[in-house]
Amino acid sequence: MSIFYNKLKQEEQLKMKIWVNTFSEIAKSDFNDPDKLSVLVENNTTPMIIYFVKEDTYSTRNIAQNKVNSDKKIKTLATKFSSEYTPIEIKENKELIHIIYYGNSKLLNKLKLFPLIILVIILLFLAILYYFYTTEKSNEQNKLWAGMAKETAHQIGTPLSSLVGWIELLKTENIPASYVTEMEKDISRLQIITDRFSKIGSLPELHRSNFIETTQNTYNYLTARSSKLIEFSLILPEHPIWVNLNPQLFSWAIENLVKNAIDAVKGRGFIELKITENQDWVFLLIKDNGKGIPKGDFNSIFKPGFTTKKRGWGLGLSLTKRIVEEYHKGKIKVLKSEPQQGTTFEIKIRKIA
């Protein structure tokens, strides 16, 4: 393309030399040669400015009138043309009588931009290919995780059904009722977990739910089963806040964040859950005084497979983000984190009447 452009530019220069020679001959003669006049008339593409030295005046050709309707505009355009082509001087008896300034034709200016346009198109095409590649790869990963989750739910479901039967048999034996009650709680918990896994990969049903109640229930479960060396705190409004929610999945999201906080404080510290609201949104803040998260990892921690633990698949926060943002159309982010001072996560969900 560059070679083609330069070739056209050389032809433009040659055409102007012919035009200037013809103009010079006609200017010096007292007759009008029709052939020579046709050379002048036929060049209707090259923009040019003719400066008459003795008269200190300008004449223009092939240039829109609004671009040369003042001496200032003409001189500015002449300077621009000088940067594109060396002005051609016409002398008579060694005396300078005319200076011809000329620039690129419209076709040349368009061709000048053509390589840039081609480059933009190529980059756009590559960007589209990359987008489709990453999207397809992400879809494949999502299908894989969804398939694994559903298979896990199926595998847990079989022995779980058997355990429910055994619990019923134990109730007929001489066993303390408290033992059976605790086992029923654990089986109920396993049933909830199985139901959660079965929902991965499919769009869950959302119901009008009390955000406060869901958070309170999850908090109660977690504090009852966590180390007594961790100081838990829950700050709630005194009135219900209604949102569209799948309580089981949203509870799972809270659990993932709290369990991460428990790992961060290394079994000893404090974890605070706090709910605030504005006119349109309800906010859940989960704060700990653990090791913190490097600022550069604020976005990476939500990617599948990212983990700083020696053991673990790095799926907890990725799943949490999916539950909050894809299923509940909310937002989750690291609100604040300082090394060795702790981290605060923020979840926000849109309120309903």
Side-chain angles (χ1 to χ4, degrees), residues 276-292:
T276 62
E277 62 178 321
N278 63 20
Q279 185 176 352
D280 300 314
W281 300 87
V282 56
F283 303 88
L284 172 60
L285 306 179
I286 300 177
K287 179 180 179 181
D288 66 65
N289 65 338
K291 60 183 180 181

Side-chain angles (χ1 to χ4, degrees), residues 141-153 193-204 249 252 256 315 318-320 322-323 327:
Q141 289 179 339
N142 288 338
K143 289 178 182 178
L144 175 62
W145 297 127
M148 290 178 62
K150 289 181 180 295
E151 180 61 21
T152 301
I193 292 172
T194 303
D195 188 49
R196 286 174 177 175
F197 274 98
S198 69
K199 285 182 169 62
I200 297 299
S202 57
L203 195 63
L249 287 181
W252 194 0
N256 285 336
L315 296 178
S318 172
L319 181 61
T320 299
R322 185 170 184 177
I323 290 171
Y327 294 161

Side-chain angles (χ1 to χ4, degrees), residues 19 23 40 43 46-52 57-71 73-75 77-78 81 99-102:
W19 190 94
F23 175 82
L40 297 181
N43 188 342
T46 307
M48 62 185 82
I49 298 172
I50 306 167
Y51 176 53
F52 296 82
T57 59
Y58 294 89
S59 176
T60 63
R61 286 178 56 84
N62 306 324
I63 303 173
Q65 186 60 33
N66 63 335
K67 294 183 179 179
V68 289
N69 54 11
S70 69
D71 284 350
K73 288 184 179 181
I74 291 175
K75 290 177 181 178
L77 193 57
F81 285 168
I99 301 176
I100 312 294
Y101 302 92
Y102 68 101

Side-chain angles (χ1 to χ4, degrees), residues 73-349:
K73 288 184 179 181
I74 291 175
K75 290 177 181 178
T76 301
L77 193 57
T79 303
K80 178 178 180 294
F81 285 168
S82 298
S83 67
E84 295 176 357
Y85 298 96
T86 302
I88 300 173
E89 296 180 348
I90 299 176
K91 296 181 179 180
E92 185 177 351
N93 299 324
K94 297 184 179 180
E95 182 184 0
L96 182 64
I97 57 174
H98 299 107
I99 301 176
I100 312 294
Y101 302 92
Y102 68 101
N104 290 328
S105 64
K106 290 181 180 179
L107 177 61
L108 270 178
N109 283 330
K110 289 178 180 178
L111 286 174
K112 190 176 181 180
L113 295 174
F114 197 70
L116 180 61
I117 294 171
I118 293 295
L119 179 61
V120 170
I121 291 173
I122 292 172
L123 291 175
L124 183 61
F125 180 71
L126 291 175
I128 292 172
L129 283 180
Y130 178 76
Y131 170 77
F132 278 110
Y133 171 75
T134 53
T135 302
E136 184 63 25
K137 189 175 181 181
S138 176
N139 288 338
E140 288 178 3
Q141 289 179 339
N142 288 338
K143 289 178 182 178
L144 175 62
W145 297 127
M148 290 178 62
K150 289 181 180 295
E151 180 61 21
T152 301
H154 176 72
Q155 294 295 335
I156 293 176
T158 303
L160 192 58
S161 299
S162 178
L163 286 173
V164 171
W166 281 108
I167 289 291
E168 294 302 318
L169 285 175
L170 287 174
K171 288 179 180 179
T172 64
E173 301 294 329
N174 189 22
I175 293 177
S178 59
Y179 293 177
V180 176
T181 300
E182 290 302 314
M183 282 188 280
E184 284 180 327
K185 288 181 181 178
D186 288 333
I187 287 176
S188 176
R189 181 64 183 172
L190 284 173
Q191 288 173 329
I192 292 173
I193 292 172
T194 303
D195 188 49
R196 286 174 177 175
F197 274 98
S198 69
K199 285 182 169 62
I200 297 299
S202 57
L203 195 63
E205 292 184 6
L206 304 182
H207 305 280
R208 184 174 183 271
S209 305
N210 184 355
F211 191 84
I212 305 298
E213 182 181 357
T214 300
T215 305
Q216 179 77 68
N217 292 339
T218 307
Y219 175 85
N220 292 341
Y221 172 80
L222 289 169
T223 53
R225 286 161 177 77
S226 300
S227 170
K228 302 304 178 185
L229 298 176
I230 299 176
E231 180 184 347
F232 283 92
S233 173
L234 179 63
I235 303 173
L236 303 175
E238 296 182 356
H239 59 276
I241 299 176
W242 300 101
V243 296
N244 281 323
L245 209 65
N246 183 291
Q248 289 184 350
L249 287 181
F250 194 75
S251 177
W252 194 0
I254 297 175
E255 286 179 27
N256 285 336
L257 291 176
V258 171
K259 287 176 180 177
N260 265 24
I262 291 172
D263 290 338
V265 301
K266 298 180 180 179
R268 182 189 294 269
F270 81 86
I271 297 173
E272 177 187 273
L273 280 70
K274 181 179 180 181
I275 293 178
T276 62
E277 62 178 321
N278 63 20
Q279 185 176 352
D280 300 314
W281 300 87
V282 56
F283 303 88
L284 172 60
L285 306 179
I286 300 177
K287 179 180 179 181
D288 66 65
N289 65 338
K291 60 183 180 181
I293 301 170
K295 194 169 185 179
D297 291 340
F298 278 15
N299 293 322
S300 301
I301 59 173
F302 294 109
K303 295 179 180 178
F306 183 90
T307 180
T308 57
K309 303 173 187 176
K310 292 182 179 179
R311 293 186 298 173
W313 287 15
L315 296 178
L317 288 178
S318 172
L319 181 61
T320 299
K321 183 179 178 69
R322 185 170 184 177
I323 290 171
V324 172
E325 298 192 354
E326 291 187 27
Y327 294 161
H328 292 90
K329 308 304 177 186
K331 291 289 182 182
I332 181 172
K333 65 179 180 180
V334 179
L335 188 64
K336 181 181 178 182
S337 188
E338 296 289 341
Q340 308 308 319
Q341 293 185 28
T343 300
T344 302
F345 281 91
E346 179 191 83
I347 294 176
K348 71 173 186 177
I349 303 291

